[in-house]
Amino acid sequence: MRVAVLGAGYAGLTLAKRLEDALPDDEVVVVDEDGTHLVQHELHRVVRRPALAEDITLDLDDVLDRATVREATVTDVDPEASVATLQTGRENGTGSGDTETLEYDVAAVCLGATTNYYDLPGVREHATPLKRLADARTVRADFLAALEDGTPEEPARVVVGGAGLSGVQVAGELAAIADELADEPADPDVDDAHEAADSDAHEAADSDAPEAVFVGGADASDAVEVVLLEQKAHVAPEFPTNFQRAVRDQLEARGVTVRTGTAVEGADADGIDLANGERLDYDQFVWTGGIAGSPALDGDRPVVRRDLRLEGDTFVLGDAGRVVDTDGEAVPASAQAAIRQARVVADNVERLLDHRREGESGFRPRLDGYRFDSPGWIVSVGTGAVAQVGPTVLTGRPAKLAKASVGAGYLSSVGAVANAADLVREELGWPDDEEGDDADTERAENESDDGDDGPVRITIDDGEDGDDRGTT
């Protein structure tokens, strides 16, 4: 029998790996646009550290052992007929291609979500989202270009619309780029940043060294204003009050201007129209204001309840649907929820196929329900982080260590151990092995003076209990 896993995000990849082990005699087909898995909760890091893209992009053929990977775009799902419609030969899900159909016995729709522009005039046309690696590179290039034009007297303005976790993270990364430039000594042979523009900011967009373009020095962080807009009363509006407060403190400590209770009504090439009648000029506009469903589901995120079935033997999980758990509670869209939903669906798929193999005699099997119980939340804010575990909120180095362990644990759980180690080095600023013992000694001396109590261990586990802890 054939199980179709439509999409290879957190839910799809986790589910496919489990089904490979659980269903050795059945066909598992994974359909994905480009045959790779993107560690989405680390995508914002690529804005500041382009080299990280390699560590957070996994080739599905490398991490899946037995499943068949088909590179195609899912354009329609018909649960009643148990058929998915695919288009092949499309570039990044756009353009024309050949249409095929994929029949299945059981399917899981794990197509994730798209950016929601809420039909706000001009926002789709003039703002950059943050869903793909190409988006992160564009955000970086546009920010470096804005910095070229900004001065302390007339700073460039970069606006991020939407202060959920994605908006918080991208605003933090942009502020961190400016801070890193400010830490660079000014070039005595260059009078201002415009003389350095000949180095080409877009070349630097593919490099981890923006200082190759700019003068550096204290003026760099004063040459740009990062503004974060949120229509609700608080940043991270869906999270506990103490977490919200810590996130806002971290943003403001890094120079981000936070404006809550501020709704966007529209935009054009030069400015943003706010609901209060204000016109906000900008040099760069990034939009992280919400999510919508996949085009394969007509842009909808259908409601699925406890067993995550949409209809018949077709499941919807992860950001592709609006999940209501066994307690009747709406589940927030997040990586940790998607991963845990995949575990439940894997068991349910196995039960359904066993029932079919037995000739579907007797009652249909009772399927497990999904209950959301978050162990905590973690968000990066530039060079820092905020973590909540139970009622306790952590910031500083403990939060950064927690963030690094989450990313590494997830990568390890899907078989990308080398990527996990590289991610830990990047998150914590640790050197590569080839940098030698001197670098290790220097790092140890620096860490011994930062006020932390003793060493910290980062454990990369098997993913059963800890890989999704707090993943945004």
Side-chain angles (χ1 to χ4, degrees), residues 158-204:
V158 175
V159 179
V160 179
L165 298 189
S166 293
V168 166
Q169 292 183 144
V170 72
E173 292 300 311
L174 295 175
I177 293 175
D179 285 343
E180 288 176 358
L181 288 170
D183 290 339
E184 290 296 318
D187 185 341
D189 296 325
V190 181
D191 291 333
D192 60 30
H194 290 281
E195 291 186 30
D198 291 339
S199 298
D200 188 359
H202 291 276
E203 269 185 37

Side-chain angles (χ1 to χ4, degrees), residues 396-406 428 430 456 458:
R397 186 164 176 260
K400 288 181 66 175
L401 288 164
K403 184 72 166 63
S405 67
V406 165
L428 302 181
W430 289 355
V456 178
I458 294 179

